[in-house]
Amino acid sequence: MDEVIFIEILDKSGRVNARSRHDHFPVTIGSAYTNDVILEDEFASPEHVAIEQNSDRALVINDLDSTNGIYTSTSVERKTRIVVAADNLVRVGHTTLRIRTAAFLPPAAIPENVKASVLLKTISGRWSLFLLLPLTLGIAIWSVFWETYTQIRIPALLLPPMLVMAMILIWSGIWALASRLYSHHSFYPRHIVISCLVFLASAILEILCGYYAFAFGAELSAEIVTYAGFTALTACLIYWHLRTCMQSMSKTLPIASGFIACTIAAIVWLSLHAASSNDNARLQYNAALKPLPFKLVDSATVADFAKSMAKIKTSADSAAHDSGR
Amino acid sequence: MRQVQAQAIESPILLSSQQTPLPNPMNRFSAATLRRLFVLIAASIHAFYSYAASDDTSLVFERYKERLVQIRVLDSASGARVSLGSGFIVSSDGLIITNYHVVSDLIQKPSNYRADILHHNGTIGKPRLLRFDIVHDLALIQTNIPIVSWFDFSIAPPRKGARVFSLGTPLDLGFTIVEGTYSGLIEESLYEQVHFTGSINAGMSGGPAILANGTVVGINVASMGDQVSFLVPAKFAKSLVDDAKQNVSAAQENLAKATQQLLNSQNDYIHKLLASPLPTTVLGKYKLPGQAANYLKCWGDSQRHEVNLFEIVSWECSAQNDLYLSRTQTISPVWYRHELISSTKLNPLRFYNLYQNYFLRGGYGFQGGSDDVGPFSCTTEFVANVGLEMKAVFCLRAYKKLLGLYDAVLRVATLGGNTEGVQSTLMIQAVSAESATRFSAHYLEAMTWTK
């Protein structure tokens, strides 16, 4: 008896669209009605290829003098004859075919419990959602309260936090839709947890950096830390969302997330910097002001500060020189 | 068309200084008699003058219009007029005095602009720039048009109240005369100016202010509207003319000269300010730099709104004289402002949030395009002065054409108050970096606790 093979027609993303079982050779493929596998492809000839068994019982794909020929997935060179290996793809017209033979050994199944990271599994329980949502709302209200210096009006106090919550729910909703399209489950609560966590972390980061900047008089390094922190948080956000969507661990995922976050950070930085560097009237300084007990460094004397002031002349000169070009 | 140079807005204090002091108390009888006598004399003088005025004015104008010119600055590329100003002839060889701001385009960008001198009789001539005085806003040019008559400078300044006629070419309406009163030198002024009670209009800049006998007492320079105008004292124009006559072959005037003039004038006032500790004023628990010189005018204000959980009391000083440097840059030489921000309703952490946001807000209204100045560079540090902890920011930007001049800003926020603090801003413009630094340090040294 001849060998049994499966011919699979793949879609653009590599998923199987149709699969047929064959145990008699040759198997003919083309757009004509007489073929064993009929392709709905305007670039396929009526009799395009035939899969035959040669004398060594190896499977060979032969081009039947078709218009557009046959190709392997790895080369752009037109072939007249391709020997079927365990897992190779063949392009016929614009259709990608995969020939599955008995030699093909599928990989072992991925155990379901490594699909999500341990951290995500721990934090995305139902209890954490009920804890995180009110906490996020609370932090958002608190930060509005903290930034309001007029008499508090409840609508003005609640509106921005409500908008923040709406944004979190919508953002998570978009990711949940992506999850649903990509896998069998939307993971909406998990996406909400991710968004809330990143929001909280960024709020805390900003506060801590403000106090750090004041305590050590280190506005510049605090700014850098804040910027790096926000970039890292963006990377985490994208990574966790994608990870939840894809339900599997891929080596390229952390790199891709980091790359996307860095790109976003670079665009933001460039647009901010480009806008401000041309402004001759803007005082480009940052100064954190907190209650005096938070200060941990010594103050300069007026004479010392005069020395720092004198040093600024050099950078003002070079700034004027650079901006002239 | 350029409007007449604008003055600083807050003016009541400046004006009040010009009011004559009240007479000493006298006994009732003689005071009443004198008053009656005075009214009688005043009425007859007024009748005489109002008769004479219309006659005089037209006479003055007819007699002296020959000595006036209009200066039209034109765009080289299109030949279109960019600005109009006035000028007047001061010698037989065609020397003309006008304002620096009328011809500044020719100095700043000689390749982009040219100018025409339009004489009253319709002759058009070309100007050649001989001298300028950027501090007093004067320029001396020479033209090739035939000269019939010219103005002489008044030897001594006229008495206060003398009738003065200001001539010029306002708003392209042809040659015009405005009558007013010479109200004397503004003594409390960084750069000497004369107060003139007539309406100098746009385009009259650079025209002469003359007595009925035709001698020049000042040069039209600026107006605040409502019959409040300013003249440059004639002596500064006279010294330009004298200098040009004595040093005929002196080097071409250029921007380096402008820098030097500004640096010299800065020597006059910054070094005086540095000579002794600054006088202080008290705001809350803080002693702060007060009115440091008589040409600085200071006033206060406070913001208290019921909805706000804080209040701001402010105190501000500035020199009234704005200085015209270029079309895109008019500067205020010295300006500082203290703001006492306090709250009884905010907790310290929330107060300092407000305090920080207030400190970081911008909006200083600096002028100067990218041709004039570079961007600011800043340094930030904790500074302590006699126990008062402060956060100080010092920013400096360099001039691009007037090399060696800088604009400086010092921002200071006092620390140590739980729910109150003073934020102080000092701005000094068109000074050397060294003066900026030294005066900023001097300013910081004047900030202490009151106790």
Side-chain angles (χ1 to χ4, degrees), chain A residues 146 151 219 285 299 308 317, chain B residues 307 353 359 381 389 391 406:
Chain A
W146 222 236
Q151 276 169 16
E219 278 83 4
Y285 68 90
S299 299
S308 316
D317 284 337
Chain B
V307 289
N353 242 347
F359 194 60
E381 225 168 304
E389 295 275 355
K391 185 108 197 179
Y406 297 82

Side-chain angles (χ1 to χ4, degrees), chain B residues 8-14 281 283 290-291 295-302 313-320 332 334-338:
Chain B
I9 4 153
E10 289 83 357
S11 56
I13 298 160
L14 180 91
T281 183
L283 213 55
Q291 188 188 2
Y295 57 80
L296 290 169
K297 301 299 165 200
C298 305
W299 51 91
D301 193 10
S302 59
V313 179
S314 59
W315 202 82
E316 182 175 314
C317 289
S318 70
Q320 297 287 307
S332 172
V334 186
W335 178 95
Y336 50 93
R337 179 183 174 89
H338 313 302

